[in-house]
Amino acid sequence: MDTAPYLVHRFGTSLVVLAGVSVVTYGLLFLTPGDPAEVILSQQLDRQPSEAEIEAFRAEHGMDEPVPLQYADWLTDVLRGDLGTSYYSDASISALILDALPLTLELAAASVVVALALAIPTGVLSAVHRGTAIDRASQLGALVGVSMPNFWLGYLLILVFALTLGVFPVAGAGSYSQLVLPAVTLGTGMAAVLTRLVRSSMLDVLDEGYLDTARSKGLRERIVVYKHALRNALVPVVTILGVQLGALLNGAVVIEIVFQRPGLGMLLVDAVFERNYPVVQGITLFTAVAFVVTNLLVDLSYRYLDPRVELGGDPT
């Protein structure tokens, strides 16, 4: 499929996905028990609000309208580029997201670097030395990494490297030393998944005849493996890396709480407990858009990694 028709097709499917995400999120929020107006006013006033105060708050924020009409009003504002304001501070939700986003992006980028730095060399070595002790140790490490909960690893790293050895700070954000433990915690699980995939892909590629041709020309084995074999083996890895973005963002919510990083994850969790529904809706929609755009970029990258791949086809 040519690039232009493919982009049009992906744009249409992306709109359907985003519409579905917004409807499901909006509906689930209104299925939660309790009156958000009462909860919010109780926290703001530090007392039980009166019925008149609750009704006034509901009218001010459009909560007295039918849910479908509330959703239509919200969607209209979103299409204008307005995600709304927080129930608590009247701050713009777009501003809240932009304030928290850099710390989450910093954590996500560092986690991907950690994952790739661990997965690619380990997976390649495992494939090249298949059936040896190196291969078995790599597969065992990947199994442990996949099985280990992120939050448990995070608390373990805090116990060892922060509280016992005092090498890194326990929590917070703003310095590289405060980024190391969260990045390692979040990147380890992804590294385990990618290590197994790199190994599997390399095993398939190493049996290809064109590598024998490269060897017959006198190229060193390292060049054959890392320049010729690895590039083709990375196509399915890039696919999974794009899909892993969703898991990465989900993991960031937990990791930001464990390490007290004021990013999107902590902002989302605080909004859920505070019944700050516009913030929850805004962050969910923003995350969905980021996920869709990232997967589109991943699909377009196939052409660079392997020109034989057709857009819209199976990259593997």
Side-chain angles (χ1 to χ4, degrees):
M1 185 183 294
D2 293 334
T3 303
Y6 175 73
L7 291 177
V8 172
H9 171 72
R10 283 299 298 268
F11 180 75
T13 56
S14 298
L15 289 180
V16 174
V17 170
L18 295 177
V21 169
S22 67
V23 170
V24 171
T25 303
Y26 210 93
L28 289 176
L29 288 176
F30 281 91
L31 290 177
T32 55
D35 184 355
E38 183 176 355
V39 173
I40 294 168
L41 285 175
S42 297
Q43 297 184 33
Q44 290 180 335
L45 302 175
D46 198 24
R47 60 174 174 81
Q48 182 65 30
S50 65
E51 287 296 326
E53 291 171 328
I54 293 176
E55 291 301 323
F57 184 89
R58 291 174 60 84
E60 179 183 356
H61 294 90
M63 293 181 180
D64 54 347
E65 298 177 348
V67 173
L69 185 57
Q70 292 185 48
Y71 174 77
D73 291 340
W74 174 79
L75 184 60
T76 301
D77 291 337
V78 168
L79 294 177
R80 296 197 195 104
D82 181 13
L83 294 178
T85 58
S86 169
Y87 285 155
Y88 286 83
S89 61
D90 289 332
S92 167
I93 294 173
S94 298
L96 292 175
I97 291 175
L98 291 177
D99 286 343
L101 182 60
L103 288 177
T104 299
L105 290 180
E106 180 185 62
L107 175 58
S111 301
V112 170
V113 170
V114 169
L116 293 178
L118 291 174
I120 292 179
T122 305
V124 171
L125 285 174
S126 180
V128 172
H129 301 280
R130 71 183 87 178
T132 65
I134 294 177
D135 186 21
R136 289 191 289 271
S138 169
Q139 294 188 66
L140 177 60
L143 179 62
V144 172
V146 170
S147 306
M148 188 182 306
N150 279 340
F151 70 90
W152 184 87
L153 178 60
Y155 286 124
L156 179 63
L157 293 178
I158 289 174
L159 177 63
V160 175
F161 292 100
L163 299 180
T164 303
L165 300 179
V167 178
F168 298 106
V170 175
S175 67
Y176 289 116
S177 61
Q178 293 172 312
L179 179 62
V180 173
L181 294 184
V184 171
T185 303
L186 190 56
T188 300
M190 181 184 295
V193 174
L194 294 179
T195 296
R196 301 169 73 173
L197 186 60
V198 170
R199 177 185 181 275
S200 175
S201 299
M202 284 294 296
L203 287 176
D204 292 338
V205 173
L206 288 174
D207 293 331
E208 295 289 340
Y210 71 89
L211 295 183
D212 294 331
T213 303
R215 294 187 183 98
S216 68
K217 293 180 179 180
L219 295 178
R220 289 181 298 176
E221 186 65 18
R222 177 175 295 182
I223 295 178
V224 172
V225 170
Y226 284 96
K227 183 177 181 180
H228 296 280
L230 181 59
R231 177 172 177 174
N232 289 332
L234 284 180
V235 174
V237 175
V238 171
T239 304
I240 296 301
L241 190 61
V243 174
Q244 283 287 306
L245 174 67
L248 192 68
L249 294 174
N250 289 335
V253 173
V254 178
I255 300 306
E256 286 180 351
I257 294 174
V258 171
F259 290 95
Q260 292 297 295
R261 291 178 59 86
L264 280 181
M266 184 168 289
L267 180 62
L268 176 62
V269 172
D270 289 343
V272 169
F273 282 108
E274 293 173 350
R275 304 293 183 89
N276 203 347
Y277 291 166
V279 176
V280 176
Q281 294 153 4
I283 295 176
T284 304
L285 183 63
F286 176 84
T287 304
V289 171
F291 187 80
V292 167
V293 171
T294 301
N295 278 272
L296 175 61
L297 295 177
V298 167
D299 287 351
L300 294 176
S301 71
Y302 297 152
R303 278 284 180 88
Y304 171 76
L305 291 172
D306 189 348
R308 299 170 299 174
V309 172
E310 289 290 333
L311 289 176
D314 186 359
T316 59

